[in-house]
Amino acid sequence: GVDGLYYTKANLLKPIEHKSGMKLMSFAYANTQGGPAIMRGPMVSQVIQQLLVGCDWGHLDYLIIDLPPGTGDIQLTITQTIAMDAAVIITTPQKISFIDVVKGIDMFNKLEVPVVGIIENMSYFLCDSCDKKHRIFGEGAMQKLVDQYGIRNAFEIPIVPAIATQGDNGLPLVAADPDGEVAQVYKDLAGDIVREVSRIAMDNTKPSVTFADGMIKVEQDGTAKSINPAELRRKCGCAHCVDEFSGEKRLQDADVPEDIKPTDISTMGNYAVQIAWSDSHSSIYPYRNLADF
Ligand SMILES: [Zn+2]
Ligand SMILES: [Zn+2]
């Protein structure tokens, strides 16, 4: 739905502007050689520079970067080149995707980019002959990710052919059918993510989690609480300790020695803490779970 690519007087690439007012630029537009878009390490930084600095973006409210799938060299280079405020993870319900999403969260965590939302594409088929949500690819792992990492915003995008056909027509479904069910998901998603990004920008106080006098201390806003380490270790929600799919507890209370203690405590993204234990196990606890403890 967009065309025309030219340079401004300052020799900057002019981003293509959709009639909705959204500016966009893609490596595919800039790649005038027409060859396949295969990029290797050093080239990536150059292309990113060209798309970011070499484009006449003007004033932007938000810049959204669509990263290629995966957590390889290219993704790492892009993420390190740009000071990102936040990341949104896109996934699908297939079980194999869960592993990729965890890798993605780990990558952003190492780079201290908060993951503010998860979007599951092709979540369910919106049937026109019944009201049921047909989960063609099975029940996804999104809820598990939300529980494990404490990510607040999770969205399901249904399988609706019009999402693709409208995109190809140049009029996105949100614009073509602004009151429709799909548009509502996109609106909720955009609103929640914008709110979360500004919340992080304004107030980035995480609780402090420390180990002292045999207890784990959680302090925030002048209030403190102490948690028994063995009790917390027994509440580990990882796939080793709790069956991923049945939710049944695998770890027995007796498996955890009473004198267990943390060997390392570090933040895991914006919403959780990672604790390495003296039994060589490592657990992730969302702050909100610690607050309820
Ligand atoms: Zn049906
Ligand atoms: Zn565990």
Side-chain angles (χ1 to χ4, degrees), residues 16 23 36 47 61 96 105-106 110 115 119 124 150 196 200 214-215 240 244 253-254 263 270-271 276 284 291:
I16 290 153
K23 293 172 185 169
V47 170
D61 296 321
I96 189 88
I105 294 174
D106 285 345
K110 283 195 189 103
V115 174
I119 297 169
Y124 55 89
E196 187 67 11
I200 288 172
M215 294 297 273
H240 288 283
E244 279 189 77
D253 284 359
T263 54
N270 240 54
Y271 312 106
I284 297 167

mmCIF file of all heavy atoms in Angstrom, residues 16 23 36 47 61 96 105-106 110 115 119 124 150 196 200 214-215 240 244 253-254 263 270-271 276 284 291:
data_model
loop_
_atom_site.group_PDB
_atom_site.id
_atom_site.type_symbol
_atom_site.label_atom_id
_atom_site.label_comp_id
_atom_site.label_asym_id
_atom_site.label_seq_id
_atom_site.Cartn_x
_atom_site.Cartn_y
_atom_site.Cartn_z
ATOM 1 N N ILE A 16 8.886 6.123 3.596
ATOM 2 C CA ILE A 16 7.615 6.026 2.893
ATOM 3 C C ILE A 16 6.508 6.321 3.898
ATOM 4 O O ILE A 16 6.601 5.917 5.054
ATOM 5 C CB ILE A 16 7.490 4.606 2.308
ATOM 6 C CG1 ILE A 16 8.492 4.457 1.160
ATOM 7 C CG2 ILE A 16 6.076 4.305 1.853
ATOM 8 C CD1 ILE A 16 8.947 3.056 0.933
ATOM 9 N N LYS A 23 5.042 6.420 9.164
ATOM 10 C CA LYS A 23 6.197 6.368 8.266
ATOM 11 C C LYS A 23 6.838 4.994 8.369
ATOM 12 O O LYS A 23 6.883 4.416 9.456
ATOM 13 C CB LYS A 23 7.215 7.430 8.674
ATOM 14 C CG LYS A 23 6.721 8.841 8.462
ATOM 15 C CD LYS A 23 7.694 9.831 9.063
ATOM 16 C CE LYS A 23 7.134 11.242 8.971
ATOM 17 N NZ LYS A 23 7.934 12.179 9.760
ATOM 18 N N PRO A 36 18.993 -11.015 -3.098
ATOM 19 C CA PRO A 36 18.370 -11.538 -1.880
ATOM 20 C C PRO A 36 18.913 -10.822 -0.647
ATOM 21 O O PRO A 36 20.080 -10.420 -0.618
ATOM 22 C CB PRO A 36 18.759 -13.017 -1.879
ATOM 23 C CG PRO A 36 19.946 -13.126 -2.773
ATOM 24 C CD PRO A 36 19.837 -12.007 -3.772
ATOM 25 N N VAL A 47 23.643 -1.356 7.777
ATOM 26 C CA VAL A 47 22.261 -1.214 7.314
ATOM 27 C C VAL A 47 21.415 -0.532 8.382
ATOM 28 O O VAL A 47 20.607 0.353 8.092
ATOM 29 C CB VAL A 47 21.670 -2.593 6.930
ATOM 30 C CG1 VAL A 47 20.177 -2.484 6.675
ATOM 31 C CG2 VAL A 47 22.381 -3.141 5.702
ATOM 32 N N ASP A 61 6.726 9.645 17.509
ATOM 33 C CA ASP A 61 6.279 9.298 18.862
ATOM 34 C C ASP A 61 6.947 7.992 19.296
ATOM 35 O O ASP A 61 7.442 7.864 20.400
ATOM 36 C CB ASP A 61 4.758 9.121 18.890
ATOM 37 C CG ASP A 61 4.041 10.418 18.558
ATOM 38 O OD1 ASP A 61 4.516 11.473 19.019
ATOM 39 O OD2 ASP A 61 3.032 10.371 17.837
ATOM 40 N N ILE A 96 7.176 -25.736 19.971
ATOM 41 C CA ILE A 96 8.561 -25.416 19.628
ATOM 42 C C ILE A 96 8.836 -23.920 19.814
ATOM 43 O O ILE A 96 9.945 -23.522 20.149
ATOM 44 C CB ILE A 96 8.876 -25.890 18.180
ATOM 45 C CG1 ILE A 96 10.369 -25.769 17.863
ATOM 46 C CG2 ILE A 96 8.060 -25.175 17.134
ATOM 47 C CD1 ILE A 96 11.163 -26.980 18.256
ATOM 48 N N ILE A 105 13.583 -13.809 25.498
ATOM 49 C CA ILE A 105 13.486 -13.108 26.782
ATOM 50 C C ILE A 105 14.870 -13.048 27.430
ATOM 51 O O ILE A 105 15.280 -12.017 27.956
ATOM 52 C CB ILE A 105 12.457 -13.793 27.714
ATOM 53 C CG1 ILE A 105 11.048 -13.646 27.126
ATOM 54 C CG2 ILE A 105 12.509 -13.192 29.121
ATOM 55 C CD1 ILE A 105 9.970 -14.396 27.884
ATOM 56 N N ASP A 106 15.610 -14.155 27.360
ATOM 57 C CA ASP A 106 16.961 -14.196 27.930
ATOM 58 C C ASP A 106 17.884 -13.185 27.250
ATOM 59 O O ASP A 106 18.662 -12.502 27.909
ATOM 60 C CB ASP A 106 17.563 -15.601 27.794
ATOM 61 C CG ASP A 106 16.951 -16.577 28.785
ATOM 62 O OD1 ASP A 106 16.298 -16.105 29.744
ATOM 63 O OD2 ASP A 106 17.119 -17.794 28.608
ATOM 64 N N LYS A 110 19.622 -9.988 29.123
ATOM 65 C CA LYS A 110 21.069 -9.745 29.201
ATOM 66 C C LYS A 110 21.390 -8.322 28.766
ATOM 67 O O LYS A 110 22.316 -7.703 29.265
ATOM 68 C CB LYS A 110 21.815 -10.744 28.316
ATOM 69 C CG LYS A 110 21.911 -12.116 28.955
ATOM 70 C CD LYS A 110 22.942 -12.993 28.261
ATOM 71 C CE LYS A 110 22.855 -14.420 28.780
ATOM 72 N NZ LYS A 110 22.176 -15.323 27.830
ATOM 73 N N VAL A 115 11.066 -6.692 28.536
ATOM 74 C CA VAL A 115 10.060 -7.291 27.651
ATOM 75 C C VAL A 115 8.694 -6.899 28.216
ATOM 76 O O VAL A 115 8.323 -7.325 29.300
ATOM 77 C CB VAL A 115 10.216 -8.823 27.590
ATOM 78 C CG1 VAL A 115 9.085 -9.449 26.783
ATOM 79 C CG2 VAL A 115 11.563 -9.194 26.974
ATOM 80 N N ILE A 119 2.870 -11.349 22.227
ATOM 81 C CA ILE A 119 1.742 -11.454 21.307
ATOM 82 C C ILE A 119 1.784 -12.831 20.665
ATOM 83 O O ILE A 119 2.812 -13.232 20.126
ATOM 84 C CB ILE A 119 1.811 -10.357 20.226
ATOM 85 C CG1 ILE A 119 1.713 -8.977 20.882
ATOM 86 C CG2 ILE A 119 0.707 -10.548 19.187
ATOM 87 C CD1 ILE A 119 2.041 -7.830 19.957
ATOM 88 N N TYR A 124 -6.041 -18.659 17.542
ATOM 89 C CA TYR A 124 -7.242 -19.473 17.363
ATOM 90 C C TYR A 124 -7.944 -19.042 16.091
ATOM 91 O O TYR A 124 -7.691 -17.953 15.565
ATOM 92 C CB TYR A 124 -8.192 -19.330 18.557
ATOM 93 C CG TYR A 124 -8.570 -17.906 18.871
ATOM 94 C CD1 TYR A 124 -9.672 -17.298 18.272
ATOM 95 C CD2 TYR A 124 -7.813 -17.147 19.759
ATOM 96 C CE1 TYR A 124 -10.012 -15.990 18.547
ATOM 97 C CE2 TYR A 124 -8.139 -15.829 20.043
ATOM 98 C CZ TYR A 124 -9.243 -15.260 19.434
ATOM 99 O OH TYR A 124 -9.573 -13.959 19.696
ATOM 100 N N GLY A 150 6.420 -13.042 34.781
ATOM 101 C CA GLY A 150 5.706 -11.897 35.331
ATOM 102 C C GLY A 150 5.391 -10.826 34.304
ATOM 103 O O GLY A 150 5.124 -9.679 34.654
ATOM 104 N N GLU A 196 2.661 0.786 29.391
ATOM 105 C CA GLU A 196 3.731 0.082 30.091
ATOM 106 C C GLU A 196 5.087 0.752 29.835
ATOM 107 O O GLU A 196 5.895 0.896 30.748
ATOM 108 C CB GLU A 196 3.757 -1.388 29.642
ATOM 109 C CG GLU A 196 4.703 -2.280 30.412
ATOM 110 C CD GLU A 196 4.305 -2.479 31.867
ATOM 111 O OE1 GLU A 196 3.184 -2.106 32.252
ATOM 112 O OE2 GLU A 196 5.144 -2.989 32.624
ATOM 113 N N ILE A 200 7.441 2.449 32.721
ATOM 114 C CA ILE A 200 8.841 2.085 32.946
ATOM 115 C C ILE A 200 9.718 3.333 32.906
ATOM 116 O O ILE A 200 10.616 3.506 33.718
ATOM 117 C CB ILE A 200 9.309 1.051 31.894
ATOM 118 C CG1 ILE A 200 8.656 -0.299 32.178
ATOM 119 C CG2 ILE A 200 10.828 0.919 31.892
ATOM 120 C CD1 ILE A 200 8.885 -1.327 31.098
ATOM 121 N N GLY A 214 20.177 -15.388 57.186
ATOM 122 C CA GLY A 214 19.470 -16.630 56.882
ATOM 123 C C GLY A 214 18.113 -16.447 56.226
ATOM 124 O O GLY A 214 17.397 -17.423 56.005
ATOM 125 N N MET A 215 17.738 -15.200 55.921
ATOM 126 C CA MET A 215 16.431 -14.957 55.305
ATOM 127 C C MET A 215 16.588 -14.160 54.007
ATOM 128 O O MET A 215 17.541 -13.401 53.846
ATOM 129 C CB MET A 215 15.527 -14.170 56.265
ATOM 130 C CG MET A 215 15.147 -14.924 57.535
ATOM 131 S SD MET A 215 14.167 -16.413 57.223
ATOM 132 C CE MET A 215 12.519 -15.709 57.207
ATOM 133 N N HIS A 240 11.478 -28.038 35.685
ATOM 134 C CA HIS A 240 11.999 -29.182 36.445
ATOM 135 C C HIS A 240 11.163 -29.427 37.699
ATOM 136 O O HIS A 240 10.994 -30.556 38.125
ATOM 137 C CB HIS A 240 13.450 -28.925 36.877
ATOM 138 C CG HIS A 240 14.416 -28.993 35.749
ATOM 139 N ND1 HIS A 240 14.839 -30.176 35.210
ATOM 140 C CD2 HIS A 240 15.013 -28.005 35.047
ATOM 141 C CE1 HIS A 240 15.672 -29.914 34.218
ATOM 142 N NE2 HIS A 240 15.795 -28.608 34.089
ATOM 143 N N GLU A 244 5.367 -29.040 33.101
ATOM 144 C CA GLU A 244 4.999 -27.939 32.215
ATOM 145 C C GLU A 244 3.555 -27.991 31.754
ATOM 146 O O GLU A 244 2.909 -26.980 31.576
ATOM 147 C CB GLU A 244 5.877 -27.978 30.959
ATOM 148 C CG GLU A 244 7.222 -27.368 31.140
ATOM 149 C CD GLU A 244 7.929 -27.263 29.809
ATOM 150 O OE1 GLU A 244 7.593 -26.358 29.038
ATOM 151 O OE2 GLU A 244 8.801 -28.107 29.549
ATOM 152 N N ASP A 253 8.824 -31.556 48.811
ATOM 153 C CA ASP A 253 9.333 -30.665 49.862
ATOM 154 C C ASP A 253 10.614 -31.221 50.484
ATOM 155 O O ASP A 253 11.548 -30.484 50.786
ATOM 156 C CB ASP A 253 8.269 -30.473 50.954
ATOM 157 C CG ASP A 253 7.180 -29.509 50.479
ATOM 158 O OD1 ASP A 253 7.301 -29.005 49.335
ATOM 159 O OD2 ASP A 253 6.223 -29.281 51.231
ATOM 160 N N ALA A 254 10.649 -32.574 50.642
ATOM 161 C CA ALA A 254 11.804 -33.209 51.284
ATOM 162 C C ALA A 254 13.064 -33.130 50.417
ATOM 163 O O ALA A 254 14.178 -33.314 50.913
ATOM 164 C CB ALA A 254 11.480 -34.666 51.603
ATOM 165 N N THR A 263 23.004 -18.575 46.310
ATOM 166 C CA THR A 263 24.415 -18.294 46.037
ATOM 167 C C THR A 263 24.542 -17.054 45.160
ATOM 168 O O THR A 263 25.592 -16.444 45.073
ATOM 169 C CB THR A 263 25.092 -19.487 45.337
ATOM 170 O OG1 THR A 263 24.337 -19.822 44.166
ATOM 171 C CG2 THR A 263 25.150 -20.701 46.257
ATOM 172 N N ASN A 270 12.481 -6.827 33.910
ATOM 173 C CA ASN A 270 11.899 -5.774 34.726
ATOM 174 C C ASN A 270 10.974 -6.289 35.811
ATOM 175 O O ASN A 270 10.600 -5.561 36.706
ATOM 176 C CB ASN A 270 11.101 -4.833 33.825
ATOM 177 C CG ASN A 270 11.634 -3.443 33.893
ATOM 178 O OD1 ASN A 270 12.827 -3.255 33.680
ATOM 179 N ND2 ASN A 270 10.792 -2.479 34.219
ATOM 180 N N TYR A 271 10.597 -7.546 35.698
ATOM 181 C CA TYR A 271 9.493 -8.014 36.530
ATOM 182 C C TYR A 271 9.827 -9.211 37.402
ATOM 183 O O TYR A 271 8.967 -9.728 38.087
ATOM 184 C CB TYR A 271 8.300 -8.382 35.639
ATOM 185 C CG TYR A 271 7.986 -7.333 34.620
ATOM 186 C CD1 TYR A 271 8.295 -7.520 33.285
ATOM 187 C CD2 TYR A 271 7.407 -6.129 35.018
ATOM 188 C CE1 TYR A 271 8.028 -6.534 32.353
ATOM 189 C CE2 TYR A 271 7.141 -5.144 34.092
ATOM 190 C CZ TYR A 271 7.448 -5.345 32.760
ATOM 191 O OH TYR A 271 7.194 -4.374 31.838
ATOM 192 N N ALA A 276 20.040 -18.171 42.197
ATOM 193 C CA ALA A 276 20.810 -19.414 42.091
ATOM 194 C C ALA A 276 20.923 -19.970 43.504
ATOM 195 O O ALA A 276 21.216 -19.238 44.450
ATOM 196 C CB ALA A 276 22.183 -19.130 41.503
ATOM 197 N N ILE A 284 13.375 -18.600 38.880
ATOM 198 C CA ILE A 284 12.944 -17.243 38.537
ATOM 199 C C ILE A 284 11.638 -16.965 39.277
ATOM 200 O O ILE A 284 10.715 -17.776 39.231
ATOM 201 C CB ILE A 284 12.720 -17.107 37.014
ATOM 202 C CG1 ILE A 284 14.032 -17.341 36.259
ATOM 203 C CG2 ILE A 284 12.159 -15.727 36.666
ATOM 204 C CD1 ILE A 284 13.840 -17.538 34.765
ATOM 205 N N ALA A 291 5.619 -10.589 46.307
ATOM 206 C CA ALA A 291 4.763 -9.681 47.074
ATOM 207 C C ALA A 291 3.623 -10.446 47.740
ATOM 208 O O ALA A 291 3.202 -10.116 48.843
ATOM 209 C CB ALA A 291 4.205 -8.597 46.160
#
